[in-house]
Amino acid sequence: IQLTQSPSLLSASVGDRVTLSCKGSQNINNYLAWYQQKLGEAPKLLIYKTNSLQTGIPSRFSGSGSGTDYTLTISSLHSEDLATYYCYQYNNGFTFGSGTKLEIK
Amino acid sequence: EVQLVESGGGLVQPGRSMKLSCAASGFTFSSFAMAWVRQAPTKGLEWVASISYDGGNTYYRDSVKGRFTISRDNAKSSLYLQMDSLRSEDTSTYYCAKVDWEPFFDYWGQGVMVTVSS
């Protein structure tokens, strides 16, 4: 399964509601996770099984979707959310998307 | 607190071998599958290999099958990646990752850089 993330680059302001998209080449059956990677750091798990929030992750992060189309939403952007975000499917093999780089205006 | 600490990276010539290690602590290592994920410079993430909790099952991406071997020592809470016949395209930061009860990665090490170059 291939994953296509859009946009590849997103610029937003602190306080904005931000939506990142991930589209699979086949049905993912909700076996989708989201990771945040800050510059120079290891990835961090944010969301698993489409909409389950990992322990310790702020509630401004949420996930949704079904079938082939999934979304990560940040309800109110914080400056520390500057990072690249990757979706990852584990329904059929293990595949990461190419990432969305989130910039703060 | 879960901790994963990789070691063993560096510069290696094409065609040579290198072995990465990952020391785990803060969880019952023998109960969980483990994996290696890599990231080429300025590129995205790429799953490399996984191993079941008891080492009985291993899985590899096609591009490393027959060249890389994932293994574990539950008595030492350690994960390994033996990399043979290395190629320039294997140049990456390699992350050790703990696999949750479902096959996603819930904890990651800080990564170790492997550079394949003459």
Side-chain angles (χ1 to χ4, degrees):
Chain A
I1 296 179
Q2 297 192 19
L3 298 177
T4 301
Q5 290 190 242
S6 60
S8 56
L9 176 63
L10 178 60
S11 184
S13 299
V14 170
D16 283 354
R17 180 180 181 89
V18 171
T19 299
L20 284 63
S21 174
C22 178
K23 184 175 180 66
S25 59
Q26 300 174 31
N27 187 352
I28 296 171
N29 289 310
N30 294 113
Y31 291 106
L32 187 105
W34 290 93
Y35 291 89
Q36 176 193 66
Q37 187 178 32
K38 296 183 178 180
L39 192 63
E41 297 183 5
K44 177 192 291 186
L45 176 67
L46 300 176
I47 302 281
Y48 59 96
K49 200 65 182 296
T50 297
N51 56 15
S52 295
L53 192 67
Q54 173 69 344
T55 303
I57 301 302
S59 59
R60 65 180 181 274
F61 291 93
S62 64
S64 63
S66 63
T68 60
D69 297 316
Y70 297 83
T71 298
L72 175 70
T73 299
I74 307 174
S75 60
S76 179
L77 191 65
H78 288 204
S79 57
E80 61 263 34
D81 299 336
L82 166 70
T84 298
Y85 293 82
Y86 294 95
C87 57
Y88 163 77
Q89 71 82 24
Y90 48 103
N91 178 60
N92 183 352
F94 314 111
T95 315
F96 290 92
S98 56
T100 291
K101 185 175 183 180
L102 180 56
E103 295 184 338
I104 310 297
K105 283 182 183 175
Chain B
E1 178 193 4
V2 173
Q3 286 199 319
L4 300 168
V5 180
E6 302 95 336
S7 60
L11 175 65
V12 62
Q13 293 180 329
R16 303 298 290 265
S17 299
M18 177 174 278
K19 186 173 185 176
L20 305 181
S21 300
C22 171
S25 61
F27 65 102
T28 305
F29 182 76
S30 58
S31 294
F32 291 91
M34 296 292 294
W36 290 95
V37 178
R38 68 185 180 184
Q39 185 171 34
T42 73
K43 301 297 184 183
L45 300 166
E46 183 176 83
W47 168 77
V48 175
S50 297
I51 187 168
S52 60
Y53 70 99
D54 62 354
N57 293 288
T58 56
Y59 311 89
Y60 301 91
R61 70 178 302 104
D62 287 346
S63 61
V64 308
K65 277 181 187 174
R67 300 189 300 120
F68 288 14
T69 302
I70 188 171
S71 62
R72 64 190 297 159
D73 184 337
N74 285 346
K76 294 182 178 180
S77 295
S78 292
L79 177 72
Y80 306 101
L81 186 66
Q82 175 68 44
M83 303 183 292
D84 298 324
S85 303
L86 280 160
R87 306 168 179 167
S88 58
E89 55 264 36
D90 296 319
T91 294
S92 289
T93 295
Y94 285 76
Y95 294 100
C96 164
K98 173 182 170 291
V99 181
D100 195 80
W101 300 112
E102 290 187 348
F104 58 86
F105 317 112
D106 55 353
Y107 293 94
W108 300 61
Q110 84 287 353
V112 62
M113 183 69 198
V114 174
T115 302
V116 184
S117 175
S118 55

